[in-house]
Amino acid sequence: MKPTDLIELYVYEVTRRLPERNRDDIALELRSTIEDMLPEEPSEAEVKEALTQLGDPAVLAAQYRDQPAHLIGPRFYDTYVQVLKMVVPVVVVITFLSLIANQIITYSGEVVPADAAASLLSKAIEVVLGAGVQTVFWITLAFVILERTGTGKELPLNGKFKAWTPDDLKDTRYVPAKKVIKKSEVFANLMWTAIWGSVYFNADRLIGVYEPGRFGIEMTTPVFNQEVLVAYWPFVVLILALDVILAIYKWIVSQWTVPIAFLNVANHVLSLVVFAAMISNADLLSSGFTAKMEDIFGPELSGVSGFSSGWIMWLALFAYMLAAVLDSYQGFRKANLTQPAK
């Protein structure tokens, strides 16, 4: 590795821990400081010596922050933040998805979907917030105890549980901002997977024509023939599994790569094939829904008798196909991003 590469990796390791608005200025200042510590043509050993004097990038970043951490000191702070970022979202996602799946599966149809959704949202905020707060509390307590009872406080704790050296920079990989996969994106993907999967297996109780009844607005006619819809369950379960695998893979890697892009394409292709097979089935829509459409619009409405393969559903397939193509292209574009030239 070139000496200049070590310097850039060190600067990157420091600035990635800082607020984005300050990164450029601090990077410029830090490069200038390192250059002042080195001769005109420094060797790798001289660069390592200079970086060793500057110390662990996590500790140096803590010194640059406007508000230094006092509850968790520099030795543990970077690891503490990383554990929070890793554990808290997992707990929140699992709690939220479990709540959604349970509410949808146990939905009896006696409550108007709008009221059920409002109740779910209120309960989700309470449960998820409680789980998140408890997780943060116990992690923080564990690190406070660890810092105040641990030994070797002069050594900062990193992922390898040993003192930092310039050789650790060789394991650093620069990740462009546009290539990073945010945890919020993974959370949204998992949430959507849980919602549409639960709705698919309960479509006859959730998707239909709602009319006034004795107990308020009630669903009188399901849109889909549930037996026909569920006949595709092995393929739907495979799509759900791919969704979850892709989300977990994104969570672990945290950046777009070519394998992730290919897995994303495979998921889209399978979804398109299954969707096309479903809407090509003439029995997909329930006979009651077809009859109600004829009552509302008249039998002369073009395509009602074959509504399941009508233009609306094919338009929906085309829209999804277009979105899938754009998403697949963006995936490969982000996967091929590299470090900009200095």
Side-chain angles (χ1 to χ4, degrees):
M1 181 176 291
K2 297 179 181 179
T4 54
D5 291 338
L6 282 176
I7 295 174
E8 291 303 325
L9 287 174
Y10 185 86
V11 173
Y12 171 69
E13 278 288 276
V14 174
T15 56
R16 74 180 181 85
R17 295 175 165 87
L18 300 173
E20 192 169 351
R21 65 179 182 277
N22 300 331
R23 291 178 183 175
D24 291 340
D25 292 338
I26 292 177
L28 185 64
E29 176 186 339
L30 188 53
R31 288 193 189 95
S32 177
T33 299
I34 296 173
E35 289 174 359
D36 291 341
M37 299 171 65
L38 297 171
E40 186 174 348
E41 296 289 340
S43 64
E44 181 176 340
E46 290 172 327
V47 170
K48 287 184 177 181
E49 175 64 25
L51 299 182
T52 301
Q53 293 179 28
L54 290 174
D56 191 322
V59 177
L60 185 59
Q63 297 173 3
Y64 274 115
R65 293 190 187 101
D66 294 334
Q67 297 179 343
H70 294 290
L71 182 62
I72 307 295
R75 178 174 184 251
F76 288 95
Y77 184 75
D78 192 59
T79 304
Y80 166 72
V81 172
Q82 291 183 29
V83 170
L84 283 180
K85 289 181 178 180
M86 178 177 63
V87 176
V88 174
V90 171
V91 172
V92 169
V93 167
I94 293 176
T95 303
F96 187 66
L97 295 184
S98 300
L99 180 62
I100 290 179
N102 179 68
Q103 290 292 105
I104 292 179
I105 292 174
T106 58
Y107 178 69
S108 62
E110 298 176 358
V111 182
V112 180
D115 294 338
S119 175
L120 173 61
L121 179 61
S122 175
K123 188 174 181 180
I125 293 175
E126 177 184 356
V127 173
V128 171
L129 185 60
V133 170
Q134 288 190 45
T135 304
V136 171
F137 170 78
W138 288 111
I139 291 177
T140 303
L141 180 62
F143 272 90
V144 169
I145 295 174
L146 184 63
E147 180 168 24
R148 282 152 180 74
T149 60
T151 58
K153 293 184 178 180
E154 73 282 357
L155 297 177
L157 180 69
N158 55 27
K160 297 180 179 179
F161 294 91
K162 64 180 183 179
W164 179 89
T165 67
D167 289 329
D168 292 336
L169 293 172
K170 296 179 180 179
D171 297 328
T172 301
R173 296 294 180 268
Y174 174 82
V175 182
K178 293 183 179 180
K179 191 172 183 176
V180 173
I181 298 177
K182 298 180 179 179
K183 296 297 187 291
S184 58
E185 177 185 341
V186 178
F187 172 80
N189 291 341
L190 286 172
M191 182 176 66
W192 171 243
T193 299
I195 291 174
W196 80 258
S198 300
V199 169
Y200 168 80
F201 287 103
N202 297 274
D204 57 337
R205 292 187 294 164
L206 298 172
I207 305 176
V209 178
Y210 288 82
E211 297 177 316
R214 289 192 306 169
F215 304 101
I217 303 297
E218 301 175 350
M219 189 181 74
T220 58
T221 308
V223 171
F224 299 105
N225 185 335
Q226 189 68 14
E227 292 183 359
V228 174
L229 196 64
V230 176
Y232 297 92
W233 74 264
F235 304 102
V236 172
V237 169
L238 181 58
I239 295 173
L240 289 170
L242 277 176
D243 279 344
V244 174
I245 292 173
L246 181 59
I248 295 175
Y249 195 9
K250 286 181 176 179
W251 191 289
I252 295 174
V253 179
S254 298
Q255 61 176 299
W256 279 95
T257 62
V258 173
I260 288 180
F262 273 114
L263 187 59
N264 187 47
V265 171
N267 197 18
H268 283 314
V269 171
L270 180 60
S271 300
L272 285 168
V273 171
V274 175
F275 189 14
M278 284 183 179
I279 66 175
S280 299
N281 193 321
D283 297 323
L284 179 62
L285 298 184
S286 68
S287 57
F289 178 71
T290 301
K292 186 169 288 290
M293 292 298 98
E294 290 180 351
D295 291 339
I296 296 175
F297 299 103
E300 68 280 359
L301 179 64
S302 174
V304 167
S305 61
F307 194 69
S308 63
S309 58
W311 64 271
I312 293 181
M313 304 203 61
W314 286 107
L315 182 62
L317 177 64
F318 175 77
Y320 178 67
M321 183 184 300
L322 181 61
V325 170
L326 291 176
D327 184 64
S328 298
Y329 166 75
Q330 289 294 330
F332 279 104
R333 188 181 68 82
K334 292 177 183 179
N336 290 312
L337 288 177
T338 56
Q339 181 177 2
K342 296 294 182 181

